[in-house]
């Protein structure tokens, strides 16, 4: 997206209806576009997962802790995505709606609250034994009469 496109967005009726000063909206969108550059993809071509990564992981670092602009990130970015001619607009809007509250909270508190399963890590199931664990000083389960440590624990 070029500066001309950004200026068109800022001059649009949708932006005026946000109730956010144009300079604040410009700052939010510029920080968003700068964050998108991290992925090497123009903002309108991001898929939902990439947009999720930008908004949930990269964008909060572009704001100071407690920055009052953080409260407007969601409304400005939603209007911005709506304004663009993105081929995956619905996918982007869905990802944005699922991630923006965590982004705003991270900006407000400075704490990364973006913790959830991305589907990359398998869920770990706790190991449950079928029989009780044999202690080293317990009798060996083989029936030899020796302590486990002197019998099969030496293995």
């Amino acid at each position: 997206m070029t500066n001309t496109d950004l200026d068109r967005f800022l001059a649009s009726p949708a932006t005026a209806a946000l109730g956010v000063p144009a300079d604040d909206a410009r700052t939010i969108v510029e920080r968003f576009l700068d964050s998108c550059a991290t992925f090497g993809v123009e903002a309108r071509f991001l898929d939902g997962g990439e947009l999720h990564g930008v908004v949930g992981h990269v964008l909060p670092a572009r704001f100071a802790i407690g920055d009052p602009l953080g409260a407007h990130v969601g409304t400005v970015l939603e209007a911005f995505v709506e304004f663009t001619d993105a081929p995956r607009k619905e996918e982007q809007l869905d990802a944005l709606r699922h991630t923006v509250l965590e982004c705003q909270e991270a900006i407000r508190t400075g704490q990364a609250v973006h913790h959830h399963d991305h589907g990359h890590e398998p869920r770990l199931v706790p190991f449950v034994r079928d029989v009780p664990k044999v202690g080293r000083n317990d009798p060996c389960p083989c029936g030899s009469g020796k302590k486990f440590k002197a019998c099969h624990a030496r293995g």
Side-chain angles (χ1 to χ4, degrees), residues 27-135:
T27 300
I28 291 168
V29 173
E30 285 175 342
R31 290 177 184 177
F32 170 69
L33 294 173
D34 183 50
S35 298
C36 291
T38 303
F39 283 83
V41 179
E42 190 177 331
R44 64 190 186 102
F45 294 119
L46 292 172
D47 65 24
E50 292 166 332
L51 189 126
H52 165 94
V54 167
V55 174
H57 299 277
V58 180
L59 185 60
R62 303 279 197 265
F63 292 86
I65 296 171
D67 190 329
L69 292 179
H72 303 295
V73 167
T75 54
V76 171
L77 291 183
E78 188 167 346
F80 179 72
V81 171
E82 285 283 356
F83 179 80
T84 64
D85 59 343
R88 298 177 176 171
K89 186 181 292 192
E90 291 305 315
E91 183 181 349
Q92 287 183 343
L93 288 170
D94 187 53
L96 181 63
R97 291 177 185 131
H98 282 93
T99 312
V100 75
L101 292 177
E102 294 171 352
C103 173
Q104 289 173 314
E105 183 67 10
I107 293 168
R108 187 181 71 76
T109 64
Q111 300 293 317
V113 294
H114 188 77
H115 302 288
H116 62 84
D117 180 19
H118 282 274
H120 306 298
E121 305 86 22
R123 290 240 181 238
L124 298 178
V125 179
F127 178 77
V128 179
R129 297 180 187 280
D130 293 333
V131 294
K133 185 175 177 180
V134 179

